[in-house]
């Protein structure tokens, strides 16, 4: 029997627009500039950059757009030997490091209204999943990704708390969708550009692609 060839990897990525207290969201800039950046830099063999999407920083009101974006990755998948990976970038204005989020919880508790005015308190992200204590974990090896990124010189940590705001809301839906479709999903929190500059963050995301692909 012949062995299968290496699995092709398609990575889709999203960032967010501005929201309360964050006039310039670095993830919007990174995602908007990413295609041109990786065209210059190149990607590892077998890795393709799929969609680059910037979402409204909102929960329930932006859910149809999020689900449509996730669904679009299915129509772009051509072979059974292709691994689809979703990377979600969100900003943590109080952090000085990159953070790989290991899980999301089924709870929406927004300390301030999202950009569409929604402010849920202790309600399930997905009602059918039961109570707010339910969590979902990424199937990617955050430990292996962390090790890869640290070897490249980036200041990265693993986090088990993505908050209860829009980032966690989107991540929970993405992890649920990924489990249903056989995809993989990872949320990464990044600092503000005033803490880690734009060029370093662009390098980080390109290296993150390498790290993620190396674990598949």
């Amino acid at each position: 029997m012949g062995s299968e060839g290496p699995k092709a990897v398609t990575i889709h990525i999203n960032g967010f627009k501005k929201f309360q207290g964050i006039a310039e969201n670095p993830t919007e800039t990174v995602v908007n500039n990413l295609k041109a950046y990786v065209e210059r830099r190149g990607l590892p063999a077998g890795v393709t950059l799929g969609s680059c999407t910037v979402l409204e920083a909102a929960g329930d009101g932006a859910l149809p757009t999020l689900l449509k974006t996730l669904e679009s990755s299915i129509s772009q998948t051509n072979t059974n030997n292709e691994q689809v990976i979703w990377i979600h970038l969100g900003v943590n204005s109080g952090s000085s490091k990159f953070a790989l989020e290991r899980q999301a919880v089924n709870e929406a508790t927004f300390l301030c209204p999202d950009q569409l005015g929604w402010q849920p308190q202790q309600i399930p992200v997905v009602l059918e999943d039961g109570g707010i204590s339910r969590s979902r974990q990424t199937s990617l090896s955050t430990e292996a990704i962390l090790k890869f990124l640290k070897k490249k010189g980036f200041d990265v940590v693993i986090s088990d708390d993505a908050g209860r705001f829009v980032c966690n809301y989107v991540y929970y839906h993405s992890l649920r969708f990924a489990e249903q479709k056989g995809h993989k999903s990872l949320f990464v929190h990044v600092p503000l550009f005033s803490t880690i500059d734009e060029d370093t963050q662009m390098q980080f995301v390109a290296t993150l692609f390498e790290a993620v692909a190396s674990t598949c």
Side-chain angles (χ1 to χ4, degrees):
M1 294 176 62
S3 60
E4 292 185 2
K7 180 171 284 191
V9 175
T10 298
I11 299 175
H12 301 274
I13 189 166
N14 90 269
F16 294 94
K17 298 179 182 178
K18 66 179 183 179
F19 60 95
Q20 185 171 325
I22 305 294
E24 180 191 23
N25 194 325
T27 69
E28 179 175 12
T29 303
V30 169
V31 170
N32 281 337
N33 294 337
L34 196 56
K35 279 192 182 292
Y37 186 85
V38 299
E39 281 175 9
R40 295 194 303 270
R41 177 187 171 114
L43 287 168
V47 177
T48 301
L49 176 59
S51 60
C52 296
T53 309
V54 177
L55 299 172
E56 197 77 53
D60 191 61
L63 183 57
T65 303
L66 170 63
L67 295 179
K68 183 178 179 181
T69 303
L70 293 172
E71 289 283 355
S72 70
S73 62
I74 298 176
S75 61
Q76 296 173 26
T77 303
N78 298 318
T79 69
N80 292 329
N81 199 38
E82 179 181 356
Q83 178 64 67
V84 174
I85 299 172
W86 274 96
I87 292 179
H88 306 277
L89 300 180
V91 63
N92 180 352
S93 61
S95 178
S96 61
K97 302 178 180 182
F98 299 103
L100 309 175
E101 299 294 347
R102 188 154 32 196
Q103 64 177 7
V105 296
N106 192 31
E107 178 187 347
T109 296
F110 292 6
L111 298 181
C112 63
D114 67 17
Q115 285 303 99
L116 297 179
W118 190 49
Q119 190 175 6
Q121 297 297 312
Q122 294 185 317
I123 68 168
V125 173
V126 178
L127 191 60
E128 308 93 90
D129 277 9
I132 60 175
S133 62
R134 169 78 183 268
S135 64
R136 290 180 180 273
Q137 287 74 37
T138 180
S139 59
L140 286 164
S141 172
T142 49
E143 289 81 6
I145 295 170
L146 178 77
K147 185 177 180 181
F148 189 103
L149 292 168
K150 279 184 169 292
K151 278 188 175 180
K152 297 293 185 178
F154 294 102
D155 199 359
V156 196
V157 296
I158 291 174
S159 165
D160 287 317
D161 185 1
R164 301 295 184 272
F165 193 47
V166 172
C167 293
N168 176 77
Y169 183 91
V170 166
Y171 195 21
Y172 190 88
H173 275 288
S174 180
L175 288 169
R176 188 173 189 267
F177 184 88
E179 184 177 311
Q180 292 170 348
K181 306 299 181 183
H183 298 177
K184 295 179 184 293
S185 175
L186 179 66
F187 199 105
V188 181
H189 270 117
V190 306
L192 294 170
F193 283 153
S194 57
T195 304
I196 297 182
D197 64 77
E198 180 180 342
D199 187 58
T200 302
Q201 295 214 30
M202 296 298 295
Q203 292 176 38
F204 170 80
V205 173
T207 308
L208 175 64
F209 287 177
E210 297 177 40
V212 167
S214 71
T215 68
C216 294

